Amino acid sequence: MRSIHLIALLMLLLPSSGYSQVQSLQQVLQQVRQGSQQEQLAAKQFVHNSQLDLQQLQQQGQQLNQQLQQIQQHNLQLEDQLLVLQQQLKDKQSQLNTEKSSLTHVFQTIAEHEQLLLDSVRPHSLWQHDTSGINLNNEQLDLARIKQLWQALTEQIVLTARVQQHDAMVLDSKGQPHAMQVTEYGPFTAQTEQGWLHYLPAQKQWQIVALQPQLSHLKQGFWLDPSMGQLIQQAGQNRWWQALAPAGLVGVLIALIAIVATIIGVNRLFYLYQEKQRINRQQTQVNANLDNALGRIIAATNTVTDANLAAHLHSAILNELPALQKGIGTLAVLAGIPPLLGLLGTVGGMIETFTVMTQFGSNNSELLSGGIAQALLTTQLGLMTAIPLLLLHCAVKNKSRQLSQQLEQEAAAIVIQQRQNQD
């Protein structure tokens, strides 16, 4: 197509006549043919080059396909390895969780043992001499803390074998502080010039034992209490009057009332028993005997006319009743006073307890034991006194009522006998 266009173009450009023009056309044609051959050769060369390029591209494509297959195989291998690694990771994580749980359990066990050790050591007086610097408020468990704990416990073991003296504030039995020199025999016993002491862990202070045991001072030794002061406190309570000492003045008043009421009650029972014996003897006698109530009633009616007999008998009986009922009202009053005194002691003990709580707080029961002991002990003493006195009052009252009824029956028998004699 390109050659035809060139021929047409040349024909338009050439003149329309002349032989020279024909030769020119042949030359042009010859040139066109040569150009076509060159183009064909170039086209063949282009095709050949294209085929070579295509072959190269096909080879490269094959190589790329091979590389792709290799990559795919490698990816499959990597996927398998990834699955294996993921499974190994899961196993490692599970093992890590197991080890972590075991380690946590070990830490908890160590922390619990640490707390047990501290709870068994801190209530003792030697802990106030600790110089290890362990922080009891720090809950972090590490090697440094374990080392401090070991140093603290080692120091406590060393202190248990020492006798040491130092000045300290000592509380008396009422919770009032005093500056004294304290001698400590390890963690076992401690004393001052005023007596034996026991340690208050919450206040970190000493307190004088309220009930001092009678322990002689040894010339070549000293007393040790392996119960850390408990035996010394119990030894001071062996005497019953010391156990009742917390009741104080209220306890003394209750004891006095119990003694007075018992004397009155026993005296009245003895009198009524003797009167009962005398009345029984009078029933078997004909003549009136003035040493008993029945004899005096009979003697009062011997000179009385029949019309006034019943009135005189009633008057004679009324005259004898005060002697038989004497002391019953007093016993009733005395039996009612001890519970009221016990309540008074309870109120006083609670006031003392709240006073100690206001001054020293309520986190230690040992400081509060004095007021609570007084509160409970006075109530107990009041009830223990009132119950027997009430029984004694009932016994005296019943005995008096029996004798009164017996006198009334005998008086009624006298009236009936007089009427029968009249008939």
Side-chain angles (χ1 to χ4, degrees), residues 7 17 25 59 71 84 92 149 153 157 182 186 240 262 294-295 334 345 358 366 390 392 395 405 408 415:
I7 294 170
S17 63
L25 289 174
Q59 291 176 359
I71 292 172
V84 173
K92 294 296 182 181
L149 178 63
L153 295 179
I157 293 174
V182 178
W240 62 269
T262 302
L294 181 59
L334 293 178
T358 303
E366 295 185 8
L390 284 175
L392 184 60
Q405 291 176 354
E408 291 177 356
V415 173

Side-chain angles (χ1 to χ4, degrees), residues 5-240:
H5 290 148
L6 291 174
I7 294 170
L9 180 61
L10 292 173
M11 288 179 67
L12 291 174
L13 296 174
L14 292 175
S16 60
S17 63
Y19 177 76
S20 59
Q21 294 178 350
V22 173
Q23 290 179 351
S24 299
L25 289 174
Q26 288 179 354
Q27 293 176 356
V28 172
L29 178 61
Q30 187 65 30
Q31 292 176 357
V32 170
R33 287 178 179 175
Q34 291 178 357
S36 297
Q37 291 177 358
Q38 292 177 357
E39 290 179 357
Q40 290 178 358
L41 292 174
K44 289 180 180 180
Q45 186 65 33
F46 178 75
V47 171
H48 179 69
N49 293 332
S50 299
Q51 289 178 353
L52 292 176
D53 293 337
L54 180 60
Q55 289 178 359
Q56 292 178 357
L57 292 174
Q58 288 178 352
Q59 291 176 359
Q60 292 178 359
Q62 291 177 358
Q63 292 177 358
L64 292 175
N65 287 330
Q66 291 177 359
Q67 291 179 0
L68 179 62
Q69 291 178 0
Q70 291 177 359
I71 292 172
Q72 289 178 350
Q73 291 178 358
H74 186 64
N75 288 337
L76 292 175
Q77 293 177 358
L78 291 177
E79 288 179 355
D80 294 338
Q81 292 179 0
L82 180 61
L83 292 175
V84 173
L85 292 175
Q86 287 179 348
Q87 185 62 36
Q88 291 179 355
L89 180 61
K90 290 182 180 179
D91 295 339
K92 294 296 182 181
Q93 288 178 347
S94 178
Q95 184 178 1
L96 177 62
N97 292 331
T98 303
E99 296 295 335
K100 186 177 179 181
S101 177
S102 300
L103 188 60
T104 303
H105 180 68
V106 171
F107 283 161
Q108 290 178 353
T109 303
I110 294 174
E112 291 175 357
H113 282 78
E114 177 193 12
Q115 190 64 35
L116 289 174
L117 290 173
L118 292 176
D119 290 342
S120 61
V121 173
R122 280 185 298 174
H124 300 157
S125 61
L126 296 181
W127 187 255
Q128 62 182 338
H129 306 298
D130 175 67
T131 59
S132 64
I134 184 171
N135 186 6
L136 301 178
N137 297 323
N138 184 15
E139 297 180 355
Q140 183 179 1
L141 184 63
D142 51 13
L143 293 177
R145 181 173 178 84
I146 295 176
K147 184 178 180 180
Q148 286 183 344
L149 178 63
W150 173 74
Q151 293 177 352
L153 295 179
T154 304
E155 184 180 11
Q156 293 297 309
I157 293 174
V158 173
L159 290 175
T160 55
R162 293 182 180 177
V163 177
Q164 50 189 352
Q165 293 182 345
H166 59 90
D167 295 330
M169 298 300 296
V170 180
L171 303 177
D172 58 16
S173 59
K174 296 183 179 180
Q176 299 299 324
H178 303 278
M180 300 181 185
Q181 186 180 28
V182 178
T183 303
E184 294 185 63
Y185 305 98
F188 305 104
T189 52
Q191 63 179 160
T192 62
E193 295 180 353
Q194 295 187 6
W196 298 97
L197 307 176
H198 68 101
Y199 187 67
L200 305 177
Q203 282 73 25
K204 297 181 180 180
Q205 288 181 320
W206 293 98
Q207 185 178 28
I208 300 176
V209 177
L211 304 177
Q212 290 288 327
Q214 299 298 327
L215 299 176
S216 60
H217 293 281
L218 303 178
K219 296 182 179 180
Q220 297 181 352
F222 45 82
W223 294 100
L224 291 181
D225 183 2
S227 64
M228 311 303 175
Q230 298 297 324
L231 290 178
I232 288 181
Q233 292 184 3
Q234 293 179 4
Q237 298 176 358
N238 292 333
R239 294 178 294 276
W240 62 269

Side-chain angles (χ1 to χ4, degrees), residues 336-352:
I337 292 177
L340 297 178
L341 289 176
L343 179 59
L344 177 61
T346 300
V347 174
M350 295 308 296
I351 291 175
E352 181 179 352

Side-chain angles (χ1 to χ4, degrees), residues 137-401:
N137 297 323
N138 184 15
E139 297 180 355
Q140 183 179 1
L141 184 63
D142 51 13
L143 293 177
R145 181 173 178 84
I146 295 176
K147 184 178 180 180
Q148 286 183 344
L149 178 63
W150 173 74
Q151 293 177 352
L153 295 179
T154 304
E155 184 180 11
Q156 293 297 309
I157 293 174
V158 173
L159 290 175
T160 55
R162 293 182 180 177
V163 177
Q164 50 189 352
Q165 293 182 345
H166 59 90
D167 295 330
M169 298 300 296
V170 180
L171 303 177
D172 58 16
S173 59
K174 296 183 179 180
Q176 299 299 324
H178 303 278
M180 300 181 185
Q181 186 180 28
V182 178
T183 303
E184 294 185 63
Y185 305 98
F188 305 104
T189 52
Q191 63 179 160
T192 62
E193 295 180 353
Q194 295 187 6
W196 298 97
L197 307 176
H198 68 101
Y199 187 67
L200 305 177
Q203 282 73 25
K204 297 181 180 180
Q205 288 181 320
W206 293 98
Q207 185 178 28
I208 300 176
V209 177
L211 304 177
Q212 290 288 327
Q214 299 298 327
L215 299 176
S216 60
H217 293 281
L218 303 178
K219 296 182 179 180
Q220 297 181 352
F222 45 82
W223 294 100
L224 291 181
D225 183 2
S227 64
M228 311 303 175
Q230 298 297 324
L231 290 178
I232 288 181
Q233 292 184 3
Q234 293 179 4
Q237 298 176 358
N238 292 333
R239 294 178 294 276
W240 62 269
W241 63 87
Q242 291 183 346
L244 298 178
L249 179 61
V250 175
V252 174
L253 293 177
I254 292 175
L256 291 177
I257 291 174
I259 293 173
V260 172
T262 302
I263 293 174
I264 294 174
V266 172
N267 185 24
R268 294 309 301 166
L269 282 177
F270 182 72
Y271 171 79
L272 293 176
Y273 175 78
Q274 289 184 336
E275 186 69 15
K276 173 68 174 177
Q277 297 295 326
R278 291 192 291 266
I279 290 174
N280 291 336
R281 288 195 300 268
Q282 180 63 49
Q283 289 177 345
T284 60
Q285 296 176 1
V286 177
N287 298 324
N289 194 350
L290 298 180
D291 63 348
N292 62 89
L294 181 59
R296 289 190 291 271
I297 292 174
I298 294 174
T301 58
N302 287 334
T303 59
V304 178
T305 61
D306 296 338
N308 297 325
L309 180 60
H312 280 81
L313 285 174
H314 182 68
S315 176
I317 293 173
L318 291 178
N319 291 331
E320 298 295 333
L321 288 180
L324 298 178
Q325 296 177 354
K326 183 180 180 181
I328 295 178
T330 303
L331 283 177
V333 173
L334 293 178
I337 292 177
L340 297 178
L341 289 176
L343 179 59
L344 177 61
T346 300
V347 174
M350 295 308 296
I351 291 175
E352 181 179 352
T353 301
F354 287 123
T355 302
V356 174
M357 290 174 62
T358 303
Q359 294 178 353
F360 302 98
S362 59
N363 55 352
N364 192 336
S365 59
E366 295 185 8
L367 280 177
L368 308 178
S369 59
I372 295 176
Q374 179 181 352
L376 298 179
L377 186 59
T378 54
T379 303
Q380 181 183 10
L381 291 176
L383 294 176
M384 291 176 61
T385 304
I387 293 173
L389 291 183
L390 284 175
L391 296 176
L392 184 60
H393 167 261
C394 291
V396 173
K397 187 176 181 180
N398 290 333
K399 195 69 175 178
S400 174
R401 184 183 295 112

